[in-house]
Every structure is written in C-alpha cells, then in structure tokens.
Amino acid sequence: SYVLTQPPSVSVAPGKTATITCAGNNIGSKSVHWYQQKPGQAPVLVISYDSDRPSGIPERFSGSNSGNTATLTISRVEAGDEADYYCQVWIINPDHRGVFGGGTKLTVL
Amino acid sequence: EVQLVESGGGLVQPGGSLRLSCAASGFIFRSYAMNWVRQAPGKGLEWVSFISSTASAIYYADSVKGRFTISRDDARDSLYLQMNSLRAEDTAVYYCARDGAEVATPYFDNWGQGTLVTVSS
C-alpha cells in the first residue's frame, strides 16, 4: 500500500518560515493536496495540485512537489496558522483510493 | 456558498447499523463527485468512500469494503453512507467532502462539519 510520511510536529517562531514535508515513493509523479485543520474544526483545503492556492488562502501558503517529497511552505508564520496539516494523494493502482499523510502539528512558538 | 451538512451520527452497538446523510447546497450537486472521510478521536484523516457524479464509479477503503455503502440522491441534493456490521474501530467523526477535481484524480475542496459515530456497548 502507498504510504505518505509527515513529521509529527514542526515548531516555528512568528514571522519565520515553516516547512512541512510529505514523503512518498515517487510522489513527484502524483498531484498532492494539503489541508489545514484547527482544533474542533473541519479540514480546509490550502493547496491543491502541488502548488495552487484556492481563493481566500493567503499567498504566504505555497507548495512544491518533486522526486519523493512534497513540501508545504508557510511564510511569515502567524499565530493563527497553528493547526494540523495533512497531505493527500489519490492512488489508482491496484485500486482507486484516497491516501492521507499522518498529519503534522504546527506549533507557533 | 457551498454548504455540506452531515447528520445521522450517534451511539450504536457493535454489529449494528447506521445511515449517515449529507445535505448539500450552494452548488450544482449532480455535477460533482462526493466523498466520505473520517477521523477517529485524536487521530488523522482517513478516506472512506467515493462516488462519482453519475454514481457510475464507487470506491471504498479496504477497512470498510463489504460493510459500508455510499449512495446519492441528486433530486434531494444528498449523499448517504449506509454503515453495517459496525466495529469499535469505526468510531470517528465522519465528514462529507466534495471532490474538487473535474477530470483529474479526486481531492476535497469543501467539507462539512462532520457527524460523530460512536460504536460501543
């Protein structure tokens, strides 16, 4: 089965840059999507198709994907960015299924 | 504004059944594929099931295959998840999520607030 591996936690000071990775076998050949989930709330899409920002998502959020690692980058981190972040891909072989990474807790110091 | 409102969660005994519903509004429901995604208490997200816009394609996670059935009623702008033979490990918040992809592989561009399913005796 296809596995996506994220670091359990990332800490960053306000105003600095946070980098959250998502590792998977040849993930660069797949489309990666990222979701933000704050406590007690539903997930929110923050990046689609590796690097596209949905409307309403600040430009501080960006993404990239190459080789075996996809990356979510949050620039000029704010206290309100503290949340869990999940990467996601869709697998079609041998069966169609959605796959999420285990999630990364972003802590703003 | 896209709205997805889940209902039907609750406490059920192991081996029991439950039917979840998701009422959609703010978009042309029949044009979109839909998904169910769940989250066990304190755990990460787990994709559960997918149904295409025409219901011609349906997929399930291995963990629920043979026990859960996804369906849709476009006349009622509603998505359903029939859950049978429930187990303790099915305890989770269940989210209804719209597929944002038009032709590419699915992702989840809008989510409901979720409904809690607790399987316990």
Short mmCIF file of all heavy atoms in Angstrom, two decimals, chain B residues 1-25:
data_model
loop_
_atom_site.label_atom_id
_atom_site.label_comp_id
_atom_site.label_asym_id
_atom_site.label_seq_id
_atom_site.Cartn_x
_atom_site.Cartn_y
_atom_site.Cartn_z
N GLU B 1 -22.64 30.11 -1.63
CA GLU B 1 -21.68 29.49 -0.71
C GLU B 1 -21.96 27.99 -0.59
O GLU B 1 -23.09 27.58 -0.35
CB GLU B 1 -21.79 30.13 0.68
CG GLU B 1 -20.87 29.53 1.73
CD GLU B 1 -21.25 29.95 3.14
OE1 GLU B 1 -22.27 30.65 3.32
OE2 GLU B 1 -20.52 29.57 4.08
N VAL B 2 -20.93 27.21 -0.76
CA VAL B 2 -21.05 25.76 -0.64
C VAL B 2 -21.32 25.40 0.81
O VAL B 2 -20.62 25.86 1.72
CB VAL B 2 -19.77 25.05 -1.11
CG1 VAL B 2 -19.84 23.56 -0.82
CG2 VAL B 2 -19.54 25.31 -2.60
N GLN B 3 -22.35 24.59 1.03
CA GLN B 3 -22.63 24.08 2.37
C GLN B 3 -22.86 22.58 2.31
O GLN B 3 -23.58 22.09 1.44
CB GLN B 3 -23.85 24.77 2.97
CG GLN B 3 -23.57 26.18 3.49
CD GLN B 3 -24.61 26.64 4.50
OE1 GLN B 3 -25.77 26.25 4.44
NE2 GLN B 3 -24.18 27.48 5.44
N LEU B 4 -22.25 21.89 3.26
CA LEU B 4 -22.43 20.45 3.41
C LEU B 4 -22.76 20.20 4.88
O LEU B 4 -21.99 20.58 5.75
CB LEU B 4 -21.15 19.71 3.02
CG LEU B 4 -20.70 19.89 1.57
CD1 LEU B 4 -19.28 19.37 1.36
CD2 LEU B 4 -21.65 19.21 0.62
N VAL B 5 -23.91 19.58 5.12
CA VAL B 5 -24.36 19.37 6.50
C VAL B 5 -24.64 17.89 6.72
O VAL B 5 -25.59 17.34 6.14
CB VAL B 5 -25.62 20.20 6.81
CG1 VAL B 5 -26.07 19.95 8.25
CG2 VAL B 5 -25.35 21.68 6.57
N GLU B 6 -23.82 17.29 7.55
CA GLU B 6 -23.97 15.87 7.87
C GLU B 6 -24.96 15.65 9.01
O GLU B 6 -25.11 16.53 9.88
CB GLU B 6 -22.63 15.24 8.26
CG GLU B 6 -21.53 15.33 7.22
CD GLU B 6 -20.67 16.57 7.38
OE1 GLU B 6 -21.13 17.53 8.02
OE2 GLU B 6 -19.53 16.57 6.88
N SER B 7 -25.58 14.50 9.01
CA SER B 7 -26.47 14.11 10.10
C SER B 7 -26.53 12.59 10.17
O SER B 7 -26.05 11.90 9.26
CB SER B 7 -27.87 14.69 9.88
OG SER B 7 -28.43 14.20 8.67
N GLY B 8 -27.12 12.09 11.26
CA GLY B 8 -27.32 10.65 11.39
C GLY B 8 -26.35 9.94 12.31
O GLY B 8 -26.49 8.74 12.55
N GLY B 9 -25.36 10.67 12.83
CA GLY B 9 -24.43 10.04 13.74
C GLY B 9 -25.07 9.74 15.08
O GLY B 9 -26.18 10.18 15.38
N GLY B 10 -24.33 8.99 15.90
CA GLY B 10 -24.84 8.66 17.22
C GLY B 10 -24.14 7.45 17.80
O GLY B 10 -23.12 7.00 17.28
N LEU B 11 -24.70 6.95 18.90
CA LEU B 11 -24.15 5.79 19.58
C LEU B 11 -24.83 4.52 19.07
O LEU B 11 -26.05 4.45 19.00
CB LEU B 11 -24.36 5.92 21.09
CG LEU B 11 -23.95 4.73 21.96
CD1 LEU B 11 -22.44 4.51 21.86
CD2 LEU B 11 -24.37 4.97 23.41
N VAL B 12 -24.02 3.54 18.70
CA VAL B 12 -24.55 2.28 18.19
C VAL B 12 -23.72 1.14 18.75
O VAL B 12 -22.51 1.29 18.99
CB VAL B 12 -24.56 2.26 16.64
CG1 VAL B 12 -23.16 2.41 16.09
CG2 VAL B 12 -25.23 1.02 16.09
N GLN B 13 -24.35 0.01 18.97
CA GLN B 13 -23.65 -1.15 19.50
C GLN B 13 -22.83 -1.84 18.41
O GLN B 13 -23.18 -1.76 17.22
CB GLN B 13 -24.64 -2.14 20.10
CG GLN B 13 -25.33 -1.65 21.35
CD GLN B 13 -26.16 -2.73 22.03
OE1 GLN B 13 -26.55 -3.71 21.40
NE2 GLN B 13 -26.43 -2.55 23.32
N PRO B 14 -21.76 -2.52 18.80
CA PRO B 14 -21.00 -3.31 17.82
C PRO B 14 -21.92 -4.28 17.08
O PRO B 14 -22.78 -4.91 17.68
CB PRO B 14 -19.98 -4.04 18.68
CG PRO B 14 -19.80 -3.17 19.88
CD PRO B 14 -21.16 -2.57 20.15
N GLY B 15 -21.71 -4.35 15.76
CA GLY B 15 -22.57 -5.18 14.93
C GLY B 15 -23.79 -4.47 14.40
O GLY B 15 -24.50 -5.00 13.53
N GLY B 16 -24.05 -3.29 14.90
CA GLY B 16 -25.23 -2.54 14.50
C GLY B 16 -25.03 -1.77 13.21
O GLY B 16 -23.99 -1.86 12.55
N SER B 17 -26.08 -1.03 12.84
CA SER B 17 -26.07 -0.26 11.59
C SER B 17 -26.43 1.19 11.85
O SER B 17 -27.08 1.51 12.85
CB SER B 17 -27.09 -0.86 10.60
OG SER B 17 -26.76 -2.19 10.27
N LEU B 18 -26.01 2.03 10.92
CA LEU B 18 -26.30 3.46 10.99
C LEU B 18 -26.27 4.01 9.57
O LEU B 18 -25.48 3.52 8.73
CB LEU B 18 -25.26 4.16 11.85
CG LEU B 18 -25.63 5.36 12.72
CD1 LEU B 18 -26.81 5.05 13.63
CD2 LEU B 18 -24.43 5.81 13.53
N ARG B 19 -27.12 5.00 9.30
CA ARG B 19 -27.11 5.63 7.99
C ARG B 19 -26.82 7.11 8.15
O ARG B 19 -27.57 7.84 8.81
CB ARG B 19 -28.44 5.45 7.28
CG ARG B 19 -28.43 5.93 5.83
CD ARG B 19 -29.82 6.08 5.29
NE ARG B 19 -29.87 6.18 3.84
CZ ARG B 19 -30.85 6.80 3.17
NH1 ARG B 19 -31.85 7.36 3.82
NH2 ARG B 19 -30.82 6.84 1.85
N LEU B 20 -25.73 7.56 7.56
CA LEU B 20 -25.37 8.96 7.58
C LEU B 20 -25.91 9.67 6.34
O LEU B 20 -25.97 9.07 5.26
CB LEU B 20 -23.85 9.14 7.63
CG LEU B 20 -23.11 8.42 8.76
CD1 LEU B 20 -21.62 8.78 8.70
CD2 LEU B 20 -23.70 8.76 10.11
N SER B 21 -26.26 10.93 6.52
CA SER B 21 -26.72 11.76 5.41
C SER B 21 -25.88 13.02 5.33
O SER B 21 -25.34 13.48 6.33
CB SER B 21 -28.19 12.13 5.58
OG SER B 21 -29.02 11.00 5.65
N CYS B 22 -25.80 13.57 4.14
CA CYS B 22 -25.10 14.84 3.92
C CYS B 22 -25.96 15.66 2.97
O CYS B 22 -26.16 15.28 1.81
CB CYS B 22 -23.73 14.59 3.33
SG CYS B 22 -22.88 16.10 2.76
N ALA B 23 -26.48 16.78 3.47
CA ALA B 23 -27.30 17.67 2.66
C ALA B 23 -26.43 18.75 2.05
O ALA B 23 -25.72 19.45 2.78
CB ALA B 23 -28.39 18.29 3.52
N ALA B 24 -26.46 18.86 0.74
CA ALA B 24 -25.61 19.81 0.02
C ALA B 24 -26.42 21.00 -0.48
O ALA B 24 -27.59 20.85 -0.86
CB ALA B 24 -24.93 19.12 -1.16
N SER B 25 -25.80 22.16 -0.50
CA SER B 25 -26.42 23.35 -1.05
C SER B 25 -25.35 24.32 -1.52
O SER B 25 -24.18 24.19 -1.15
CB SER B 25 -27.34 24.02 -0.02
OG SER B 25 -26.60 24.42 1.11
#
